[in-house]
């Protein structure tokens, strides 16, 4: 007998309207890893997608980054922000564009994206404080961590309704309710889509393991960063995570990062300041 996960995979594999990302994103993943590719080549690849370039530049010039002068080309953005950061913004712009106007009944779409963007901002702020080497990718890893929730409610609305019911009835988290109903949760669906999009392994794993960070064997820092940022964002009440609870925080992660009260306060403040300037990210979901 097919398991629920196999049923889900076959529905998703045959879904004609499954979100796809532009080719430029795929190309960027491999280009950035290639030591022989330079900034000019990367700028050229991005520039080929005119719409995506303009959306990326909207983010670069938003209040969130607060540059004194207008940045009007990808080449200029790479000079001031670095290649990895620009790649991360291209990916962010393409994901927000892919999901724009995909609101569903009974799903708090704006709240979902506020939580996602908040987790991205918090992950980046935390990475900077921890002097982590994953700083540039931290935003995207946070942004996408709950991707599975979006896919879940769009393609499996009946199960989604049952999950919502379980959350209210039994005071469960989204993850607990999904596991109880299906034996897996949104982390598996999200990482499945990320693999389909050919995202780098570390990004797939931070989506897959953000609720079970203790099981991480590789890319541990990134997975733990996303776990902590998710908890922070929920604790701050930014956006809507789908249930009224702050996810369980794993002691091991707090000890490893030495997350003391002073650091937590500083990152909290930066997350709130970041959200106050993140309007353009949410605008990309509308037009
Ligand atoms: Fe989650
Ligand atoms: Fe989350």
């Amino acid at each position: 007998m097919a398991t629920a996960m196999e049923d889900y995979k076959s529905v998703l594999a045959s879904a004609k309207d499954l979100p796809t990302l532009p080719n430029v994103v795929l190309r960027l993943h491999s280009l950035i890893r290639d030591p022989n590719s330079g900034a000019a080549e990367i700028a050229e690849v991005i520039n080929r997608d005119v719409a995506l370039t303009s959306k990326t530049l909207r983010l670069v010039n938003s209040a969130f980054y607060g540059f004194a002068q207008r940045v009007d080309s990808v080449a200029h953005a790479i000079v001031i922000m670095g290649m990895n950061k620009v790649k991360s913004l291209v990916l962010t712009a393409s994901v927000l564009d892919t999901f724009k106007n995909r609101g569903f009944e009974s799903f708090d779409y704006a709240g979902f994206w506020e939580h996602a963007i908040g987790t991205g901002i918090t992950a980046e702020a935390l990475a900077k404080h921890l002097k982590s080497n994953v700083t540039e990718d931290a935003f995207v890893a946070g942004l996408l961590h709950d991707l599975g929730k979006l896919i879940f409610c769009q393609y499996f609305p009946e199960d989604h309704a049952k999950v919502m019911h379980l959350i209210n009835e039994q005071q469960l988290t989204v993850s607990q309710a999904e596991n109880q109903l299906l034996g897996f949760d949104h982390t598996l669906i999200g990482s499945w889509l990320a693999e389909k999009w050919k995202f780098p392994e570390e990004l797939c794993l931070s989506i897959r393991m953000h609720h079970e960070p203790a099981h991480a064997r590789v890319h541990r820092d990134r997975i733990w960063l996303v776990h902590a940022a998710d908890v922070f964002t929920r604790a701050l009440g930014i956006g809507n995570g789908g249930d009224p609870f702050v996810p369980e925080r794993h002691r091991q992660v707090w000890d490893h990062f030495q997350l003391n009260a002073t650091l937590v306060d500083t990152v909290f403040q930066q997350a709130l300041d970041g959200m106050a300037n993140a309007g353009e990210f949410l605008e990309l979901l509308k037009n």
Side-chain angles (χ1 to χ4, degrees), residues 115-116 119 142 145-146 149 186 210-211 226 230-231 233-234 241 247:
H115 169 62
T119 308
H145 77 288
D146 273 337
K149 287 182 186 169
H186 59 277
H210 69 270
H211 289 305
V226 172
D230 185 29
V231 174
T233 314
R234 298 294 299 277

Side-chain angles (χ1 to χ4, degrees), residues 100-210:
K100 77 178 171 198
N101 300 322
R102 277 182 180 242
F104 321 101
E105 226 179 294
S106 82
F107 185 74
D108 179 3
Y109 189 68
F112 169 86
W113 282 109
E114 275 172 34
H115 169 62
I117 291 164
T119 308
I121 291 172
T122 310
E124 191 171 22
L126 198 51
K128 277 184 189 150
H129 281 288
L130 299 171
K131 301 194 172 33
S132 161
N133 57 1
V134 299
T135 306
E136 277 130 349
D137 289 341
F139 184 89
V140 166
L143 179 79
L144 296 176
H145 77 288
D146 273 337
L147 188 65
K149 287 182 186 169
L150 209 52
I151 301 300
F152 193 51
C153 77
Q154 183 176 0
Y155 294 92
F156 307 95
E158 286 171 15
D159 284 346
H160 180 251
K162 286 183 195 160
V163 164
M164 289 294 122
H165 184 72
L166 273 176
I167 290 169
N168 293 325
E169 192 91 329
Q170 298 184 22
Q171 301 297 298
L172 301 177
T173 65
V174 171
S175 208
Q176 286 166 337
E178 290 166 340
N179 272 313
Q180 186 167 314
L181 186 74
L182 303 161
F184 58 87
D185 67 6
H186 59 277
T187 64
L188 197 59
I189 302 177
S191 62
W192 184 83
L193 183 62
E195 281 166 23
K196 202 172 162 61
W197 281 346
K198 303 207 167 18
F199 277 179
E201 182 189 55
E202 60 272 24
L203 202 45
C204 299
L205 283 176
S206 60
I207 293 172
R208 176 72 186 94
M209 310 199 77
H210 69 270

